[in-house]
Amino acid sequence: MGRGGSRRRSGRVWLCVAAAALALAGVLALTLRLTVGRRRSEADFQATFTGRCEQFSGGSRRHDCPKIWSAFEQAYVGRQPCNVSMEAYDALIAAAPAEAQCNSMIFWSKTMDMVHALTEKRDCYMSVEETLLGFVLNGLRWCGKRSSSETFTTGCPEWFECVNNPVRSFWSRVSADFAEQACGDVTVMLNGSIATPFSPESVFASVEVKAFNATIMSSLSVALVVTQWNNQSTCANESLKDLEKELHPDIKYSCQEVPESKVRTCISDTNVTCEYCLLRSQITVHDADSTL
């Protein structure tokens, strides 16, 4: 073959080399962007954590936020994201235990948005999301990876993907701590628009009820929120009878069917007093004797 063919082969080789070099550069640039983006995401997550912690403390420094962050990281960093148990957060709970407010603590199941709207407007109720840890981590996602010192905020397991994922285990552990501190008269808001208001799969049933302490908790009042157009359950619901059976005999049980409109009024009308909104004192009460 003549010199022209050799030149053409040489030109094709250089084109291939140049294309490979460009592809490699693109891969390196993408890897760099992903690495920088991941580190920025981790930094943003830590900043959100410490910022919320300081906001909760009101600038008083009564909580050691760097220490709490360190205890938080110990639970999941370097672990596979489906291998983080509730107990992994014990050190975090010890660093920032729930501060109980007797006669004000409210639990929920399938009524999260309504309870959060209520507690945001009313200081006569306190949910787990009003504790330090609940406030700091509400709405966030995180996980670690084996042999990595980083915090990841993407690619983490969904709630039901595995039981021992970092977010689910955290909320189970902090909810257990909140329930252990529940004292005096306690309220739970359940959903009367579903067939099983007290679901055995809920955090309330599987974690919180089992952690109630009868030596400091006097009563549990179920506020069963009902509507005129979608009322599937009443206080006579079989699942609520199961709830009553789960309680220690020294914890007085009561249930009331509360119109959703009443709760909405408590949320929207700041002129309505807390006495009106205290759901445990309203509507017909169904206690243990009335269900016999």
Side-chain angles (χ1 to χ4, degrees):
M1 184 177 292
R3 295 179 182 177
S6 177
R7 283 197 298 268
R8 283 194 296 271
R9 280 201 307 274
S10 177
R12 285 197 296 269
V13 169
W14 281 111
L15 283 173
C16 290
V17 170
L22 286 172
L24 179 60
V27 170
L28 292 174
L30 177 60
T31 301
L32 180 61
R33 284 199 301 272
L34 290 174
T35 301
V36 171
R38 188 167 61 244
R39 289 175 178 171
R40 185 182 297 117
S41 178
E42 179 183 5
D44 289 346
F45 183 89
Q46 182 175 357
T48 298
F49 185 104
T50 54
R52 288 184 180 183
C53 180
E54 292 166 359
Q55 179 185 349
F56 187 92
S57 300
S60 63
R61 298 186 180 277
R62 64 189 180 98
H63 296 109
D64 189 340
C65 295
K67 178 182 177 181
I68 295 171
W69 166 258
S70 178
F72 172 66
E73 278 190 307
Q74 291 174 23
Y76 65 90
V77 166
R79 300 191 186 194
Q80 283 293 86
C82 281
N83 190 30
V84 179
S85 66
M86 287 176 56
E87 292 73 23
Y89 289 100
D90 285 352
L92 176 64
I93 296 298
E99 298 176 358
Q101 293 183 14
C102 295
N103 304 314
S104 298
M105 299 170 80
I106 186 169
F107 295 80
W108 54 266
S109 182
K110 302 297 184 183
T111 55
M112 180 182 70
D113 291 343
M114 190 172 294
V115 167
H116 286 179
L118 182 65
T119 56
E120 183 180 351
K121 297 290 186 180
R122 301 287 169 177
D123 58 7
C124 45
Y125 282 113
M126 174 190 184
S127 71
V128 67
E129 289 80 13
E130 272 68 56
T131 65
L132 169 61
L133 293 177
F135 176 81
V136 168
L137 288 163
N138 191 27
L140 301 183
R141 284 184 68 191
W142 65 92
C143 64
K145 298 285 175 66
R146 183 181 294 171
S147 302
S148 172
S149 61
E150 296 181 65
T151 293
F152 298 87
T153 58
T154 59
C156 299
E158 299 292 339
W159 182 271
F160 290 107
E161 188 171 335
C162 52
V163 173
N164 289 329
N165 73 67
V167 175
R168 182 170 179 171
S169 291
F170 165 77
W171 284 109
S172 294
R173 184 64 185 87
V174 76
S175 294
D177 181 55
F178 187 67
E180 287 169 2
Q181 310 303 321
C183 49
D185 297 320
V186 174
T187 302
V188 59
M189 187 182 291
L190 301 179
N191 191 337
S193 298
I194 58 179
T196 310
F198 180 64
S199 170
E201 297 179 354
S202 66
V203 172
F204 178 64
S206 63
V207 175
E208 292 169 332
V209 170
K210 298 181 185 305
F212 286 153
N213 183 349
T215 64
I216 59 174
M217 181 172 163
S218 305
S219 67
L220 177 70
S221 176
V222 175
L224 187 67
V225 180
V226 296
T227 64
Q228 291 181 338
W229 58 89
N230 187 18
N231 179 20
Q232 292 203 26
S233 300
T234 69
C235 284
N237 185 277
E238 286 297 322
S239 72
L240 296 180
K241 294 179 182 179
D242 292 337
L243 168 56
E244 184 178 357
K245 292 174 185 176
E246 285 277 343
L247 296 175
H248 189 281
D250 290 342
I251 298 177
K252 184 179 179 181
Y253 169 86
S254 64
C255 178
Q256 56 201 303
E257 293 148 22
V258 181
E260 182 180 358
S261 59
K262 175 184 173 65
V263 183
R264 297 293 181 193
T265 298
C266 289
I267 294 170
S268 61
D269 189 351
T270 56
N271 293 319
V272 172
T273 65
C274 271
E275 285 70 24
Y276 172 83
C277 295
L278 288 174
L279 305 176
R280 58 177 172 268
S281 64
Q282 306 294 327
I283 317 300
T284 302
V285 173
H286 301 257
D287 58 23
D289 294 334
S290 67
T291 60
L292 295 178

